[in-house]
Amino acid sequence: MLHTLLSNKVEEPKKRQVLEEEYDIQMSEKMEKEVSAMCNLSQGILEQGIQQGFQQGEEKGLKRGMPRGRQEQRIKDERQNIKRMKKLLAAGIDKATIANVFDCSVAELEALSKNKNR
């Protein structure tokens, strides 16, 4: 009987019918309200479980994704800075000035200008 009441696959009118026909329970107004409350309870439990699942999934995703996202952003920023440095070097801007702006050494800039693959 509890399976019938708590099932989220059976609609409320069908539940009342099953209770009347299979369990010989007369559906008074009070009993109909109680059946309705039990139906809402199972729906509430289901919705609460779904919400908890979403929250846990989101928390796990953030824990895994944020460090990876930060690392990917650092790599992207580094690549953009390298492109900017190369453009400034190609434009003939003083290496010391570029190194100062990008907070790196002149030696790193010279290595960058020799390395065409980056």
Side-chain angles (χ1 to χ4, degrees), residues 91-108:
I93 305 294
D94 179 58
K95 290 179 185 176
T97 303
I98 298 171
N100 187 36
V101 169
F102 286 94
D103 196 28
C104 66
S105 69
V106 173
E108 289 173 311

Side-chain angles (χ1 to χ4, degrees), residues 30-102:
K30 180 181 177 186
M31 186 60 72
E32 284 184 11
K33 286 180 182 178
E34 289 180 12
V35 169
S36 180
M38 291 296 285
C39 291
N40 291 335
L41 174 66
S42 65
Q43 184 63 32
I45 291 170
L46 175 65
E47 289 172 4
Q48 184 180 18
I50 291 170
Q51 182 65 29
Q52 280 181 328
F54 281 134
Q55 283 179 324
Q56 289 174 357
E58 184 176 32
E59 289 169 8
K60 286 180 183 179
L62 287 173
K63 282 181 183 177
R64 292 180 186 163
M66 287 178 71
R68 184 174 179 177
R70 283 192 296 265
Q71 180 182 4
E72 289 174 0
Q73 186 62 45
R74 278 193 299 269
I75 292 169
K76 183 180 175 184
D77 291 345
E78 182 181 318
R79 287 181 180 152
Q80 287 176 344
N81 283 339
I82 289 170
K83 287 179 184 178
R84 290 177 183 133
M85 286 183 224
K86 284 183 175 185
K87 284 182 181 179
L88 293 172
L89 285 169
I93 305 294
D94 179 58
K95 290 179 185 176
T97 303
I98 298 171
N100 187 36
V101 169
F102 286 94

